[in-house]
Coordinates of all heavy atoms in Angstrom, one line a residue:
D32 N -0.4 1.1 -27.8 CA -1.4 2.2 -27.5 C -1.7 2.3 -26.0 O -2.4 3.2 -25.6 CB -2.7 2.0 -28.3 CG -2.6 2.4 -29.7 OD1 -1.6 3.0 -30.1 OD2 -3.6 2.2 -30.4
I33 N -1.1 1.5 -25.2 CA -1.4 1.5 -23.8 C -1.2 2.9 -23.1 O -2.1 3.3 -22.3 CB -0.7 0.4 -23.0 CG1 -1.3 0.2 -21.6 CG2 0.8 0.7 -22.9 CD1 -2.8 -0.3 -21.6
W34 N -0.2 3.6 -23.5 CA 0.1 4.9 -22.8 C -0.9 5.9 -23.3 O -1.4 6.8 -22.6 CB 1.5 5.3 -23.1 CG 2.5 4.2 -22.7 CD1 3.4 3.6 -23.5 CD2 2.6 3.6 -21.4 NE1 4.0 2.6 -22.8 CE2 3.6 2.6 -21.5 CE3 2.0 3.8 -20.2 CZ2 4.0 1.8 -20.5 CZ3 2.4 3.0 -19.1 CH2 3.4 2.0 -19.3
K35 N -1.3 5.8 -24.6 CA -2.3 6.8 -25.2 C -3.6 6.5 -24.5 O -4.4 7.4 -24.2 CB -2.4 6.6 -26.7 CG -1.2 7.0 -27.5 CD -1.4 6.7 -28.9 CE -0.2 6.8 -29.7 NZ -0.3 6.3 -31.1
I36 N -4.0 5.2 -24.3 CA -5.2 4.8 -23.6 C -5.2 5.4 -22.2 O -6.2 5.9 -21.7 CB -5.4 3.3 -23.6 CG1 -5.7 2.8 -25.1 CG2 -6.5 2.8 -22.7 CD1 -5.6 1.3 -25.3
M37 N -4.1 5.2 -21.5 CA -4.0 5.7 -20.1 C -4.2 7.2 -20.0 O -4.9 7.8 -19.2 CB -2.7 5.3 -19.4 CG -2.7 3.8 -19.1 SD -1.3 3.4 -18.1 CE -1.5 1.7 -17.9
K38 N -3.5 7.9 -20.9 CA -3.6 9.4 -21.0 C -5.0 9.8 -21.3 O -5.6 10.8 -20.7 CB -2.6 10.0 -21.9 CG -1.2 9.9 -21.4 CD -0.2 10.4 -22.4 CE 1.2 10.1 -21.7 NZ 2.3 10.4 -22.5
F39 N -5.7 9.1 -22.2 CA -7.1 9.4 -22.5 C -8.0 9.2 -21.3 O -8.9 10.0 -21.0 CB -7.6 8.4 -23.6 CG -9.0 8.6 -23.9 CD1 -9.5 9.6 -24.8 CD2 -10.0 7.7 -23.4 CE1 -10.8 9.7 -25.0 CE2 -11.3 7.8 -23.7 CZ -11.8 8.8 -24.5
C40 N -7.7 8.1 -20.5 CA -8.4 7.9 -19.2 C -8.3 9.1 -18.3 O -9.3 9.6 -17.8 CB -8.0 6.6 -18.6 SG -8.5 5.1 -19.4
R41 N -7.0 9.5 -18.1 CA -6.7 10.6 -17.2 C -7.4 11.9 -17.7 O -8.0 12.6 -16.8 CB -5.2 10.8 -17.1 CG -4.5 9.8 -16.3 CD -4.7 10.0 -14.9 NE -3.8 9.1 -14.1 CZ -3.8 9.1 -12.8 NH1 -4.5 10.0 -12.1 NH2 -3.1 8.3 -12.1
L42 N -7.4 12.2 -18.9 CA -8.1 13.4 -19.5 C -9.6 13.3 -19.3 O -10.2 14.4 -19.2 CB -7.8 13.5 -21.0 CG -6.4 13.9 -21.3 CD1 -6.2 13.9 -22.9 CD2 -6.1 15.4 -20.9
N43 N -10.1 12.1 -19.1 CA -11.5 12.0 -18.9 C -11.9 11.7 -17.4 O -13.0 11.2 -17.1 CB -12.1 10.9 -19.8 CG -12.2 11.4 -21.2 OD1 -13.1 12.1 -21.6 ND2 -11.1 11.1 -22.0
G44 N -11.0 12.0 -16.5 CA -11.2 11.8 -15.1 C -11.3 10.4 -14.5 O -11.8 10.1 -13.5
V45 N -10.7 9.5 -15.3 CA -10.7 8.1 -14.9 C -9.2 7.7 -14.6 O -8.3 7.9 -15.4 CB -11.3 7.2 -16.0 CG1 -11.1 5.7 -15.6 CG2 -12.7 7.5 -16.2
V46 N -9.0 7.0 -13.5 CA -7.6 6.6 -13.1 C -7.4 5.2 -13.6 O -8.1 4.3 -13.3 CB -7.5 6.6 -11.5 CG1 -6.1 6.1 -11.1 CG2 -7.7 8.0 -10.9
P47 N -6.3 5.1 -14.4 CA -6.0 3.8 -14.9 C -5.1 3.0 -13.9 O -4.1 3.6 -13.4 CB -5.2 4.1 -16.2 CG -4.6 5.4 -16.0 CD -5.5 6.1 -15.1
N48 N -5.4 1.7 -13.7 CA -4.6 0.8 -12.9 C -4.2 -0.3 -13.8 O -4.9 -0.6 -14.8 CB -5.5 0.3 -11.7 CG -6.0 1.5 -10.8 OD1 -5.2 2.3 -10.5 ND2 -7.2 1.4 -10.5
I49 N -3.2 -1.0 -13.4 CA -2.7 -2.1 -14.3 C -2.0 -3.2 -13.5 O -1.5 -3.0 -12.4 CB -1.6 -1.5 -15.3 CG1 -1.4 -2.4 -16.5 CG2 -0.4 -1.0 -14.6 CD1 -0.7 -1.7 -17.7
T50 N -2.1 -4.4 -14.1 CA -1.4 -5.6 -13.6 C -0.4 -5.9 -14.7 O -0.8 -6.1 -15.9 CB -2.3 -6.7 -13.3 OG1 -3.3 -6.3 -12.3 CG2 -1.6 -7.9 -12.8
I51 N 0.9 -6.1 -14.3 CA 2.0 -6.4 -15.2 C 2.7 -7.6 -14.7 O 2.5 -8.0 -13.5 CB 2.9 -5.2 -15.4 CG1 3.6 -4.8 -14.1 CG2 2.2 -4.0 -16.0 CD1 4.7 -3.8 -14.2
N52 N 3.6 -8.1 -15.5 CA 4.4 -9.3 -15.0 C 5.9 -8.8 -14.6 O 6.6 -9.6 -14.1 CB 4.5 -10.4 -16.0 CG 5.1 -10.0 -17.4 OD1 5.8 -9.0 -17.5 ND2 4.7 -10.7 -18.4
G53 N 6.2 -7.6 -14.9 CA 7.5 -7.1 -14.5 C 8.7 -7.4 -15.5 O 9.8 -7.0 -15.3

Side-chain angles (χ1 to χ4, degrees):
D32 279 357
I33 192 67
W34 310 117
K35 293 175 193 171
I36 291 169
M37 287 188 181
K38 288 177 183 174
F39 175 81
C40 288
R41 287 284 187 179
L42 287 172
N43 286 277
V45 174
V46 176
N48 302 312
I49 195 165
T50 300
I51 63 171
N52 60 22

